[in-house]
Amino acid sequence: MADGILGLGTGQASTLNEELLEKLKTAERKSTIEPIETSLSNWDLESVKVEEIKLYTQDLLEAIKPFDLFVTSGANAFESKSATTTGESAIFDAVDAGSLNTGTTNIDISQLAQRDVYQTSTFNDKEAVVSNTPGTMITINGVEFSTFNKSYQDLADNINVNSKFNASVETIGTDSFRLVIKSENSGVDNALSISETGVDLGLNEFVSDTTIASGTVPTAGLTLTLNGTDFTTDGVENYSEFISRIDSDGAFDASIDEDGKVSIKRSDGTPLEVTNDDLGLNIKNNNHTLIAQNMQAKIDGVDYDVSSNLITIDGGLKITAVKIGESSISIEKDTTNISTLFSNFIDKYNALLTTIDGELYSSDSSIDDKSTLRTMLTEIKDKMFGTYGENSDLSLFNYGLSLDEYGAISMDEATFNTAISDDFTNLKDLFIGTAENEGFGTQLKTLVDNMDGYDGLITAYEDNLDAKKTALESDLEEATEDLDSKYAQLAQQFADYGTIITNFNSQFASLEMMIAESTSS
């Protein structure tokens, strides 16, 4: 007798349901989902190819930039200049080499600009308090800085708040420090005038280079002028008495140490000025380590006395003085790179042409929107084959360019170089042009640049690609959900059918037993 009322046992019905549903789902997936997945795969290939074409286009853009009238960096190929220099006293530079005037510039540096620099006497703890007395301070160019309850580092930090000064605590030895104060900029206009009030950091103490014997009587009539006050020897006083007379003046503190060195400073802590020294003491502030001065130079016979070692002269030539001495720079036109730069452009053009043509005429191309590529190439070719100049009578193909059977361009370098030397003006007009009549390079640079700009061909293509991918991913998600939902519902229906069949089989088994018992009796 058959197995069950439908000839199927419960297990066999379940297995058949699963196999049947899987086969149906696989068949339907091929017609609904796989075409979308194939489109997404093709999208990836197309995206890679578009990016490749974009890179070739950017290469073309970079190659044409030297032939752009409005070049943003440096000079265009027809305005390039070369420079030769002599000497080591100056370094030369220019923002726009094309604007430099041709000819030779001679520089004679006699003095370098430098900053004003002071140092304090040494101290052994940079965190130590400078002064415990209220009202003590140092004044720099009229700006007061309190030293009361301030460490040396605190004082340096306060000075640095002013942008015209620069202060730091420097380690000059083991447990030995100095506070160093500098003008931020060089030149005499930035010199420092430092006064000390109630504190002595050694910033204004002058000491003689020469030594004297305190008992020796100097020659009469020798004058030492300090801050406008004359102190003149009388031929009777010895050096010790003469220095004591300066000290007793009240405006100065003066003394002679055991080594015979004369030390003088202002009693009120203001700067000391020595304007006359007939005695030859050579008194100077050893803590005024660098005295502000201007750069002094003669450039092409013109005298310069400026605060910076960097000056800019005609045409934007920057001259940086680095040492005393003479230097020169000679500027000349440089046309040697024009042929090389244009040959590079031709290579980039041919590479782009080959790549786009390969997609336009290939049956295996992954490019979907070939019309955009065709438009790109057509617009570039229009510029290549166009005429330029004031009378629109200048063409690239009059200067050694030719086409092969595939549309690739080649250049006869001999013919092109002859044009550079013999027909420079027309060649420049062809490539560069003017604001009123832009040349080939200027127009092509604008065209290619715009292709990747807002609403450009490449930009629009990429935007369309992105929109296409978004739509495909949405379609794939929706189709997958619909297919899964459909077969989940079918599986449930088949399961319900299985339950019904099981019930029928159970009832049939009972009936079969009753029939068997009846037959047996």
Side-chain angles (χ1 to χ4, degrees):
M1 183 175 289
D3 186 5
I5 191 172
L6 299 179
L8 291 172
T10 301
Q12 291 174 303
S14 176
T15 300
L16 182 58
N17 292 347
E18 293 176 0
E19 292 177 356
L20 179 60
L21 288 175
E22 190 61 34
K23 288 180 180 180
L24 290 173
K25 186 175 182 179
T26 300
E28 189 167 349
R29 190 181 191 283
K30 288 183 179 180
S31 63
T32 57
I33 294 179
E34 289 187 7
I36 302 176
E37 291 176 333
T38 300
S39 295
L40 280 170
S41 179
N42 291 339
W43 184 95
D44 290 334
L45 296 175
E46 184 176 10
S47 179
V48 169
K49 183 56 66 174
V50 170
E51 184 63 27
E52 179 184 347
I53 292 173
K54 180 178 178 180
L55 291 176
Y56 278 116
T57 306
Q58 290 172 343
D59 288 343
L60 184 71
L61 176 63
E62 291 302 315
I64 199 59
K65 282 183 178 179
F67 301 98
D68 176 26
L69 173 64
F70 308 108
V71 59
T72 57
S73 177
N76 65 55
F78 287 83
E79 294 176 345
S80 293
K81 293 183 173 71
S82 62
T84 55
T85 62
T86 64
E88 299 177 349
S89 65
I91 297 172
F92 304 95
D93 192 15
V95 174
D96 181 6
S99 66
L100 296 178
N101 296 324
T102 56
T104 300
T105 300
N106 296 299
I107 301 96
D108 184 1
I109 310 295
S110 57
Q111 177 176 285
L112 294 177
Q114 62 186 28
R115 296 192 291 180
D116 225 11
V117 181
Y118 282 81
Q119 66 178 10
T120 65
S121 301
T122 59
F123 49 91
N124 56 20
D125 183 2
K126 65 180 179 180
E127 298 301 332
V129 173
V130 179
S131 173
N132 292 313
T133 304
T136 56
M137 67 184 66
I138 66 170
T139 303
I140 307 175
N141 291 3
V143 183
E144 296 178 343
F145 299 95
S146 173
T147 59
F148 174 56
N149 282 344
K150 296 287 194 308
S151 70
Y152 286 94
Q153 187 60 58
D154 291 338
L155 179 58
D157 293 341
N158 289 344
I159 293 173
N160 283 327
V161 171
N162 191 304
S163 61
K164 294 182 179 180
F165 314 132
N166 182 291
S168 61
V169 177
E170 301 293 338
T171 304
I172 61 170
T174 303
D175 295 328
S176 183
F177 306 90
R178 288 185 192 269
L179 173 63
V180 179
I181 304 172
K182 304 177 182 179
S183 60
E184 184 65 26
N185 298 309
S186 59
V188 295
D189 290 340
N190 297 300
L192 302 178
S193 176
I194 303 179
S195 301
E196 301 172 282
T197 303
V199 65
D200 185 5
L201 301 181
L203 294 168
N204 286 315
E205 183 174 1
F206 281 62
V207 179
S208 65
D209 271 354
T210 58
T211 59
I212 60 174
S214 60
T216 302
V217 177
T219 304
L222 301 179
T223 300
L224 180 64
T225 304
L226 305 174
N227 292 82
T229 301
D230 293 332
F231 296 93
T232 304
T233 59
D234 58 9
V236 177
E237 295 175 318
N238 60 31
Y239 271 112
S240 179
E241 293 168 334
F242 177 71
I243 297 301
S244 293
R245 176 155 57 91
I246 297 174
D247 184 63
S248 63
D249 178 79
F252 307 97
D253 295 332
S255 62
I256 302 175
D257 66 15
E258 59 184 14
D259 296 323
K261 298 274 188 172
V262 176
S263 174
I264 304 176
K265 60 184 176 181
R266 295 271 288 175
S267 299
D268 61 2
T270 58
L272 179 70
E273 295 178 3
V274 181
T275 54
N276 190 33
D277 184 9
D278 293 340
L279 285 79
L281 296 176
N282 193 22
I283 297 176
K284 62 182 180 179
N285 185 353
N286 290 326
N287 281 340
H288 191 181
T289 59
L290 205 60
I291 299 175
Q293 65 184 31
N294 286 350
M295 188 269 281
Q296 295 178 352
K298 192 181 291 288
I299 302 177
D300 286 342
V302 178
D303 289 322
Y304 287 78
D305 188 353
V306 294
S307 62
S308 173
N309 287 315
L310 171 64
I311 59 175
T312 302
I313 62 172
D314 61 325
L317 176 63
K318 292 184 176 181
I319 301 173
T320 303
V322 292
K323 62 189 298 186
I324 306 302
E326 297 181 0
S327 294
S328 69
I329 181 170
S330 296
I331 308 295
E332 297 178 345
K333 285 186 176 181
D334 184 6
T335 61
T336 57
N337 269 341
I338 296 177
S339 178
T340 301
L341 290 170
F342 189 52
S343 179
N344 176 62
F345 165 78
I346 290 174
D347 290 342
K348 303 305 181 185
Y349 169 79
N350 287 336
L352 178 63
L353 173 73
T354 301
T355 302
I356 293 181
D357 277 350
E359 296 303 316
L360 293 179
Y361 303 109
S362 171
S363 58
D364 297 328
S365 173
S366 57
I367 294 293
D368 184 46
D369 183 8
K370 293 186 178 181
S371 63
T372 294
L373 299 188
R374 190 173 288 106
T375 300
M376 283 176 55
L377 198 56
T378 298
E379 291 182 355
I380 293 172
K381 284 182 177 181
D382 285 345
K383 300 301 180 185
M384 295 290 293
F385 291 91
T387 55
Y388 302 91
E390 185 177 355
N391 299 316
S392 297
D393 57 351
L394 302 175
S395 168
L396 292 174
F397 295 91
N398 296 139
Y399 293 94
L401 267 65
S402 59
L403 290 171
D404 66 14
E405 58 184 311
Y406 301 106
I409 292 178
S410 60
M411 179 180 71
D412 185 327
E413 291 190 13
T415 302
F416 192 79
N417 286 329
T418 299
I420 293 174
S421 59
D422 297 346
D423 198 12
F424 184 84
T425 300
N426 279 334
L427 196 64
K428 180 181 178 181
D429 201 21
L430 165 63
F431 276 89
I432 308 297
T434 63
E436 295 76 20
N437 294 288
E438 294 180 354
F440 153 72
T442 304
Q443 291 189 29
L444 183 60
K445 185 266 178 183
T446 301
L447 172 69
V448 178
D449 200 12
N450 288 340
M451 285 181 176
D452 195 22
Y454 180 73
D455 281 347
L457 287 172
I458 296 177
T459 304
Y461 199 139
E462 290 178 324
D463 289 345
N464 290 336
L465 270 179
D466 291 341
K468 179 180 177 181
K469 183 177 183 181
T470 300
L472 286 172
E473 289 175 337
S474 177
D475 290 346
L476 178 61
E477 182 179 1
E478 183 178 348
T480 301
E481 289 177 355
D482 288 347
L483 187 65
D484 289 343
S485 175
K486 176 179 179 179
Y487 280 89
Q489 185 177 0
L490 286 176
Q492 182 60 50
Q493 291 175 346
F494 272 65
D496 292 343
Y497 295 152
T499 301
I500 294 172
I501 291 171
T502 300
N503 289 335
F504 278 138
N505 283 340
S506 177
Q507 294 173 5
F508 180 73
S510 298
L511 178 60
E512 190 176 33
M513 288 178 61
M514 291 173 62
I515 294 172
E517 289 176 359
S518 174
T519 302
S520 174
S521 61

